[in-house]
Amino acid sequence: TAFEKMPAFQRQVEEIRKEAEEALCSLNERVYRKKVFEFKSRQNVETQKKRKQRSDELSDIREAKCGKKIPLPEYPEEFVCPIGGEPFIDPVVTEDGHTYERGVLERWLQEKKTSPMTNLPLKTTAVVPNIALRKSIEKWEEIAHDFAINANS
């Protein structure tokens, strides 16, 4: 029709199309973030199972060598997420240099865009895996196991 050919109508259609695309992109980003979070959560559960299995194996070895159950010491506070209070499984670093458990931090950032440690605004919610810390935690468990055996032999 002649109305559909009018420039004002075409501009309105274009504006509506752009708004719809932006809404779809925003929705897609939320869906993508949710899927990544779900994937990481499943990965963390698997890592936790493996860590527990290894911990149980080491506990059995300590008991066999020492003739009694020998618990490991508490994790050092540097190995514990300051938000969740649990040992790190998937530690990540925020732009302000603090480390948090990925899943716990993501839930925090869904509600706030601030640093959990300083409460200052974060310029970005992008995080970087803290691989060195994760490896240190895994190594600590092995060292603590050896120390417990030597201290009780």
Side-chain angles (χ1 to χ4, degrees):
T1 66
F3 181 71
E4 292 174 340
K5 294 180 182 177
M6 294 176 67
F9 176 78
Q10 290 176 347
R11 278 193 304 274
Q12 283 184 332
V13 168
E14 184 62 23
E15 285 176 20
I16 292 170
R17 186 187 64 74
K18 284 181 182 177
E19 285 179 18
E21 282 181 7
E22 287 174 9
L24 184 58
C25 287
S26 177
L27 176 63
N28 286 340
E29 182 180 342
R30 283 194 301 270
V31 169
Y32 172 77
R33 283 183 177 270
K34 182 179 178 188
K35 292 292 181 191
V36 168
F37 178 76
E38 289 169 356
F39 172 75
K40 287 292 190 178
S41 293
R42 284 192 304 275
Q43 261 188 332
N44 285 355
V45 167
E46 288 303 311
T47 300
Q48 214 166 13
K49 284 180 185 176
K50 288 177 187 173
R51 191 181 281 176
K52 172 81 170 102
Q53 182 180 3
R54 181 64 181 147
S55 180
D56 290 346
E57 289 170 3
L58 293 175
S59 179
D60 292 344
I61 292 169
R62 286 193 305 277
E63 185 175 2
K65 287 189 175 187
C66 301
K68 61 182 178 179
K69 285 214 177 271
I70 307 291
L72 291 180
E74 292 290 317
Y75 282 87
E77 100 179 38
E78 296 82 10
F79 293 174
V80 176
C81 177
I83 306 172
E86 295 291 322
F88 289 113
I89 295 171
D90 187 13
V92 293
V93 179
T94 56
E95 56 127 344
D96 66 353
H98 293 285
T99 299
Y100 307 96
E101 178 60 34
R102 182 186 300 271
V104 176
L105 178 65
E106 286 180 355
R107 283 191 293 278
W108 173 278
L109 293 175
Q110 285 174 355
E111 296 176 19
K112 306 170 186 174
K113 301 295 184 224
T114 61
S115 166
M117 291 296 283
T118 65
N119 218 24
L120 295 173
L122 293 171
K123 294 176 188 164
T124 178
T125 58
V127 295
V128 177
N130 193 334
I131 296 167
L133 178 60
R134 183 171 34 95
K135 289 183 178 187
S136 293
I137 293 168
E138 292 166 0
K139 188 69 175 170
W140 176 85
E141 290 175 340
E142 299 287 333
I143 292 169
H145 161 75
D146 291 341
F147 179 79
I149 287 177
N150 292 332
N152 289 283
S153 294

